[in-house]
Structure formats: structure tokens, C-alpha cells
Amino acid sequence: MATVLVVDDAEFLRVRISKMLVAEGYQVIEAENGAVAVEKYKAERPDVVLMDITMPEMDGLTALKNIRAYDPQAKVVMLTALGQESVVLEAVKSGARDFVVKPFNQERVLSALQKLLG
């Protein structure tokens, strides 16, 4: 099954998403900020990245750009709060393939991943 890198500074959210994905048969790698996400992406080469936009140390937008510079084919789905439309637009221009608005529902996250994994 596919490997998903889950990136969010909120541990409870990472755990919630990870449990959901593992129950669906995905392998999960976690990162608590964008800097760690870039390192783990390079080391582990996950199939898809599910990444929050607003995080300390390195935000999701910067991490997205770094990951896409390293791997132009990277499949990244951004997690965003309501009201971050301009940031989402910037993320899409920077190569994000999709975005999920928080609070998210399970079906939306799974459909975003399945769409990218084909």
C-alpha cells in the first residue's frame, strides 16, 4: 500500500490522521514541521504528502516549494483552515495537487489521496 507523510505541528491531528490512514491500509510517516517534512521526504520518498500550511520553523508553503524543487513529481495535498484562500492559491501555484479544509472529514482526505494515487 502507499506511504503517506503526514505533516502537522498539532500532535493530536497527526495522530488522528495517522490512525485513520493506517486503518485504511496506508503506511504513515509523521513530521511535526516543514523542516522535518523535507528531511523525511528526501529520506523516505513517500507516495503522497498531507501537509498543514501554518507551522513553526518552516511553514507548509516553504516545505512544499523545497519538496517540489527536490522532486518535481511530488504529490502534495495541503491542509488548510477556513479563510486561507490566498495561501491555498499560492500553494496550488507552487505545485500542491489538492487541498483539504480543516476541520476535515475522513472521506475528503481519503478521496484526495486516492485521486493522486490513481
Side-chain angles (χ1 to χ4, degrees):
M1 194 57 159
T3 302
V4 181
L5 173 56
V6 176
V7 188
D8 200 306
D9 57 316
E11 185 180 9
F12 77 93
L13 210 61
R14 283 198 320 271
V15 169
R16 186 173 152 215
I17 293 170
S18 295
K19 282 183 178 176
M20 174 185 73
L21 295 178
V22 168
E24 292 292 323
Y26 290 96
Q27 291 184 317
V28 176
I29 305 161
E30 293 183 23
E32 64 275 9
N33 63 52
V36 174
V38 173
E39 287 173 22
K40 289 198 175 182
Y41 186 89
K42 290 177 178 179
E44 309 272 347
R45 296 302 298 254
D47 298 294
V48 182
V49 180
L50 193 55
M51 183 158 45
D52 189 22
I53 290 177
T54 309
M55 296 179 288
E57 283 191 52
M58 181 189 289
D59 66 24
L61 221 56
T62 305
L64 167 67
K65 291 173 184 174
N66 282 321
I67 288 170
R68 295 275 300 176
Y70 173 76
D71 176 8
Q73 303 306 309
K75 296 174 181 168
V76 182
V77 176
M78 303 306 289
L79 291 170
T80 176
L82 280 170
Q84 289 186 311
E85 289 80 8
S86 63
V87 182
V88 168
L89 200 58
E90 178 69 24
V92 170
K93 285 180 186 172
S94 299
R97 303 282 184 95
D98 202 350
F99 65 93
V100 175
V101 177
K102 296 193 282 187
F104 58 85
N105 67 37
Q106 182 171 335
E107 292 74 30
R108 177 66 183 101
V109 172
L110 294 175
S111 74
L113 294 178
Q114 288 159 357
K115 187 169 74 177
L116 287 181
L117 293 168

